[in-house]
Amino acid sequence: MKIENLEQELQLLREQLKNHPLYAQLESVDDIKTFMESHVYAVWDFMSLLKALQRHLTCVDLPWHSAQDTSVSRFINEIVLEEESDFNEKGEAKSHFEMYLDAMQEVKADRLKAQAIIASFTSLDNICNQIEAAELNKAEKNFLQFTFDVINTQQPHIIAAAFTFGREDLIPDMFLSIIEQSGENGPSKYKKLEYYLKRHIELDGDEHGPLALRMIKALCGSNDQKWNDVLGYSKQALQYRIALWDSIAEKLEENKGNLVNAL
């Protein structure tokens, strides 16, 4: 299987995600707040996928040994550098997850709940039980459980599949549009969120996306079983992302219903 065939197989699910009804419901900064309070877990677990890939595809053990594929190792290390210790809008070194939390605070979204829940995840061996016990809705739990099921396969090509194809591409552009329409002071009022989104667009579009596809090619090579694994897990990653979007859309609909009833 070639990467082009893989992308063709995933096209229907990717179109479903791209055209999800959720996007039409994101009309205000309050809607963005609701979205971020659920999406924050996807921002966080992305880092766990990344660090799992770093464990498998670079050398983080002692004594040190050369990586099997130096080009893939360099790609992963570059992403770790940018995702774990990028510069924020003030030139301060911060992870993208920390930038996201700062942006949540800026729009007055509840970041404390997410921080408390994530702090309760302390052991990879027991992570599934800890996720199940957390104060999360079903879609959030299922999304996180899938991520750590993937990590626990210990198979780099499977982890790379969830890392590469389980993302969303439309949200940064849409958020920026909403912020720009939120009044004269919109972008200047939400500088942290605007910077995070633009940085996200810059890295994923120009660098990370194409390089991630090269990583998939390098990890699968001519092994048909690995390509089939990537296809299967990529489909699941997209399905869990769609289910997460469904749950956020339901929450937004509920919020707007409550607002109408209160008037």
Side-chain angles (χ1 to χ4, degrees), residues 11-70:
Q11 187 61 31
L12 286 178
L13 282 171
R14 296 176 79 175
E15 285 295 321
Q16 188 178 343
L17 186 62
K18 181 178 179 180
N19 299 309
H20 197 284
L22 167 66
Y23 305 132
Q25 295 175 261
L26 294 171
E27 301 173 334
S28 69
V29 174
D30 282 341
D31 295 333
I32 289 178
K33 286 165 57 176
T34 299
F35 178 92
M36 295 182 80
E37 287 169 358
S38 189
H39 179 243
V40 62
Y41 302 107
V43 177
W44 172 76
D45 82 339
F46 173 82
M47 292 301 301
S48 292
L49 288 169
L50 174 57
K51 298 302 284 188
L53 286 173
Q54 188 181 34
R55 280 185 173 186
H56 287 288
L57 302 178
T58 75
C59 183
V60 292
D61 298 320
L62 294 173
W64 179 85
H65 297 283
S66 297
Q68 289 186 347
D69 189 322
T70 308

Side-chain angles (χ1 to χ4, degrees), residues 84-99:
E84 196 170 40
S85 55
D86 203 359
F87 293 110
N88 68 5
E89 80 286 357
K90 295 181 178 179
E92 302 165 335
K94 284 198 173 186
S95 70
H96 283 194
F97 176 66
E98 290 172 309
M99 290 185 201

Side-chain angles (χ1 to χ4, degrees), residues 10-262:
L10 297 174
Q11 187 61 31
L12 286 178
L13 282 171
R14 296 176 79 175
E15 285 295 321
Q16 188 178 343
L17 186 62
K18 181 178 179 180
N19 299 309
H20 197 284
L22 167 66
Y23 305 132
Q25 295 175 261
L26 294 171
E27 301 173 334
S28 69
V29 174
D30 282 341
D31 295 333
I32 289 178
K33 286 165 57 176
T34 299
F35 178 92
M36 295 182 80
E37 287 169 358
S38 189
H39 179 243
V40 62
Y41 302 107
V43 177
W44 172 76
D45 82 339
F46 173 82
M47 292 301 301
S48 292
L49 288 169
L50 174 57
K51 298 302 284 188
L53 286 173
Q54 188 181 34
R55 280 185 173 186
H56 287 288
L57 302 178
T58 75
C59 183
V60 292
D61 298 320
L62 294 173
W64 179 85
H65 297 283
S66 297
Q68 289 186 347
D69 189 322
T70 308
S71 63
V72 172
S73 175
R74 179 178 177 84
F75 165 57
I76 292 299
N77 283 330
E78 285 179 350
I79 296 185
V80 169
L81 174 65
E82 291 161 343
E83 293 285 348
E84 196 170 40
S85 55
D86 203 359
F87 293 110
N88 68 5
E89 80 286 357
K90 295 181 178 179
E92 302 165 335
K94 284 198 173 186
S95 70
H96 283 194
F97 176 66
E98 290 172 309
M99 290 185 201
Y100 196 88
L101 290 176
D102 289 344
M104 288 181 72
Q105 185 176 32
E106 185 178 54
V107 301
K108 296 182 171 55
D110 181 6
R111 72 175 194 171
L112 295 180
K113 176 185 174 182
Q115 287 177 291
I117 288 173
I118 290 168
S120 73
F121 301 151
T122 56
S123 167
L124 188 60
D125 293 334
N126 197 37
I127 187 74
C128 291
N129 291 333
Q130 293 173 342
I131 291 170
E132 186 58 36
E135 189 183 344
L136 298 165
N137 66 37
K138 182 179 179 181
E140 292 163 348
K141 287 182 180 181
N142 288 345
F143 188 90
L144 291 174
Q145 294 280 19
F146 172 73
T147 293
F148 287 95
D149 286 345
V150 164
I151 289 171
N152 284 324
T153 68
Q154 301 294 317
Q155 297 295 312
H157 66 289
I158 291 175
I159 300 169
F163 176 88
T164 301
F165 295 106
R167 303 187 192 182
E168 70 286 351
D169 298 323
L170 295 180
I171 288 299
D173 283 327
M174 183 159 295
F175 274 21
L176 286 171
S177 176
I178 293 170
I179 290 171
E180 288 166 359
Q181 295 171 20
S182 65
E184 292 182 4
N185 296 321
S188 62
K189 184 177 181 181
Y190 303 112
K191 288 182 179 179
K192 294 181 185 298
L193 179 57
E194 183 188 33
Y195 180 87
Y196 171 86
L197 294 170
K198 287 184 176 179
R199 186 65 173 146
H200 185 90
I201 292 168
E202 177 187 358
L203 291 175
D204 282 359
D206 296 341
E207 300 176 27
H208 292 178
L211 287 172
L213 295 179
R214 284 176 53 191
M215 173 177 63
I216 293 288
K217 291 180 186 178
L219 291 174
C220 292
S222 59
N223 188 314
D224 289 341
Q225 183 57 55
K226 287 186 176 181
W227 280 109
N228 288 334
D229 289 343
V230 167
L231 176 60
Y233 278 91
S234 297
K235 284 183 176 179
Q236 290 185 72
L238 288 166
Q239 287 163 347
Y240 280 112
R241 176 74 66 170
I242 290 167
L244 183 64
W245 268 208
D246 289 344
S247 73
I248 299 173
E250 290 174 10
K251 180 63 175 176
L252 288 170
E253 192 67 31
E254 179 185 328
N255 289 349
K256 289 170 185 178
N258 291 340
L259 181 61
V260 169
N261 292 334

